[in-house]
Amino acid sequence: MPFEALFVPDELRAAVSDEAWLRAMVAAERALLRVQFGEELPEVELDAEELAREGRRVGNPAEPLVRRLRKVAPNVHHGATSQDVLDTAAMLVARDAVALVDGCLARAAEECARLAEEHRDTVMAARTLLQQAVPTTFGLKAAGWLVGLCEARRALAGVELEAQLGGAAGTLAAFGDRGLELLRAYAAELGLAEPALPWHARRTRIAQLGSALDLAAGACAKIALDVELLAQTEVGELREPGDGGSSTMPHKRNPVGSTLVRACATGVHAAAGVLTGGVHEHERAAGAWHAEWKALSDALALAGGAAARTAETLTGLEVDAERMRANLRAETLSEAARFGGAERPEDYLGAANALIDRALALHRDSK
């Protein structure tokens, strides 16, 4: 994507790069060779760009890869198909990248927990339909952010990443009577789950992964949008760290972190549409499978970018408690007047503190 380094941390860019996919493909071939024949795959010098160019004529990079590997290991890829290699590689790439995404989400969650605890008594206006509603606390708002991140982490952790091995059409026929045995050993060798059946055209795990990444990015975008609204000049209740400078207006302090978070989340949502919407024909798809490769890399990278920038933004977030209190309008107690009265916003906070405690407990349990 253009200006990728602006949005995605270097570590995540590397984790979903062409080189990372190539390493994962080789790992899949190495695992199959080892469990099937007890052989080791020698090191081979490979170029991802070159394989992609050669792969144009067959529609994937696995075929030119296999031709090179067979020069040093003739039994490599025996009984497998290109989609076995690429789907398994996708799961290996996802495993490494999801760990990075989760680390960023965990850092953001820690910051939310800190803000929830520190500002449990910081009174501010709750806003519904962008209008002041009733009193709340900034601690409770941060607790809401925290729960969203915890739920996203739980969803990501719940996606079972499965190895793929089915042969030409998912029958394992080329492996003879060893098919199920090899499938089990292959998955174990790679540290992936063993699928009930080959999933060439049943994209449940891909869809779950896309949905979970979309949920994670959405949780970050929710935080970013709230920060942007509360950082508006006329509101002034929050300020992002950094100068947020403008190329033409020296007075500006733009919410840059939140802006990038929302841009990343929009990209994840678009990629998730590909990952969750694929209906693959018969035993192997013509096109829908190929479209997943970029979408998966984009979703992983941009979800990580959203989480990383959320953590950075929250770490240095400036909270103006006095401005929050001063912005409260008298009418925020109108509901209180209907239900028994409260003379101060502090007296109409309901179970805010108890709810914060529940969010913090959920966070502790998710560590």
Side-chain angles (χ1 to χ4, degrees):
M1 60 182 293
F3 313 114
E4 188 177 72
L6 185 65
F7 300 95
V8 183
D10 292 344
E11 206 174 10
L12 259 165
R13 291 175 67 199
V16 300
S17 65
D18 286 2
E19 291 72 22
W21 277 83
L22 177 55
R23 286 193 299 272
M25 291 167 65
V26 172
E29 296 285 11
R30 178 178 292 114
L32 183 58
L33 183 65
R34 185 177 292 158
V35 300
Q36 194 174 9
F37 297 103
E39 298 176 6
E40 292 299 322
L41 181 64
E43 294 297 324
V44 180
E45 189 172 329
L46 299 164
D47 183 273
E49 180 75 15
E50 186 178 86
L51 292 175
R53 290 182 183 279
E54 284 190 35
R56 287 174 179 170
R57 68 179 182 81
V58 291
N60 71 76
E63 189 272 343
L65 170 65
V66 170
R67 280 193 282 108
R68 282 165 172 75
L69 296 182
R70 279 180 173 156
K71 292 178 180 179
V72 297
N75 286 325
V76 78
H77 198 71
H78 180 83
T81 193
S82 297
Q83 189 169 351
D84 290 332
V85 176
L86 274 157
D87 278 350
T88 298
M91 295 295 97
L92 294 174
V93 167
R95 181 176 64 190
D96 292 346
V98 164
L100 296 174
V101 174
D102 185 65
C104 295
L105 290 170
R107 290 194 295 275
E110 283 291 335
E111 292 304 317
C112 286
R114 175 185 61 80
L115 290 168
E117 186 62 68
E118 288 180 6
H119 292 281
R120 61 168 64 238
D121 297 320
T122 300
V123 179
M124 65 181 299
R127 293 168 170 93
T128 62
L129 303 182
L130 295 178
Q131 306 296 306
Q132 290 201 11
V134 296
T136 187
T137 66
F138 183 62
L140 184 57
K141 183 177 286 290
W145 297 344
L146 174 60
V147 171
L149 292 172
C150 289
E151 290 171 341
R153 293 186 68 200
R154 184 167 57 201
L156 268 178
V159 180
E160 191 172 44
L161 301 177
E162 296 176 333
Q164 172 74 290
L165 185 64
T171 65
L172 297 167
F175 301 116
D177 59 4
R178 297 183 63 202
L180 293 180
E181 170 196 337
L182 288 174
L183 175 59
R184 183 173 300 109
Y186 175 68
E189 180 70 23
L190 291 163
L192 295 172
E194 178 190 351
L197 271 71
W199 45 276
H200 291 147
R202 191 184 70 258
R203 312 306 283 177
T204 305
R205 298 296 177 254
I206 294 289
Q208 288 175 331
L209 187 54
S211 295
L213 291 166
D214 198 16
L215 181 64
C220 294
K222 159 61 178 168
I223 297 171
L225 181 56
D226 282 354
V227 170
E228 286 177 337
L229 292 171
L230 294 173
Q232 290 182 104
T233 304
E234 293 81 4
V235 180
E237 296 178 8
L238 296 177
R239 282 180 293 277
E240 281 201 9
D243 57 17
S246 162
S247 62
T248 58
M249 295 170 283
H251 71 281
K252 294 288 293 295
R253 184 170 175 176
N254 295 316
V256 174
S258 295
T259 298
L260 293 178
V261 170
R262 294 185 65 199
C264 286
T266 300
V268 175
H269 191 63
V274 176
L275 300 174
T276 61
V279 178
H280 293 208
E281 61 274 17
H282 296 308
E283 280 66 53
R284 290 177 64 197
W289 162 57
H290 304 70
E292 290 175 350
W293 309 336
K294 183 180 187 302
L296 180 58
S297 284
D298 285 352
L300 289 163
L302 291 172
R309 290 311 296 255
T310 299
E312 291 172 11
T313 298
L314 294 174
T315 298
L317 191 66
E318 297 177 22
V319 181
D320 192 333
E322 292 184 5
R323 184 66 176 260
M324 287 179 173
R325 186 67 175 78
N327 280 346
L328 269 166
R329 299 172 65 90
E331 53 263 37
T332 59
L333 289 174
S334 65
E335 183 187 82
R338 294 185 61 191
F339 298 116
E343 296 184 0
R344 304 180 310 149
E346 291 82 356
D347 298 328
Y348 199 66
L349 295 174
N353 266 317
L355 293 169
I356 291 170
D357 290 337
R358 289 173 68 128
L360 293 174
L362 179 66
H363 172 57
R364 287 192 297 270
D365 290 343
S366 68
K367 289 185 180 181

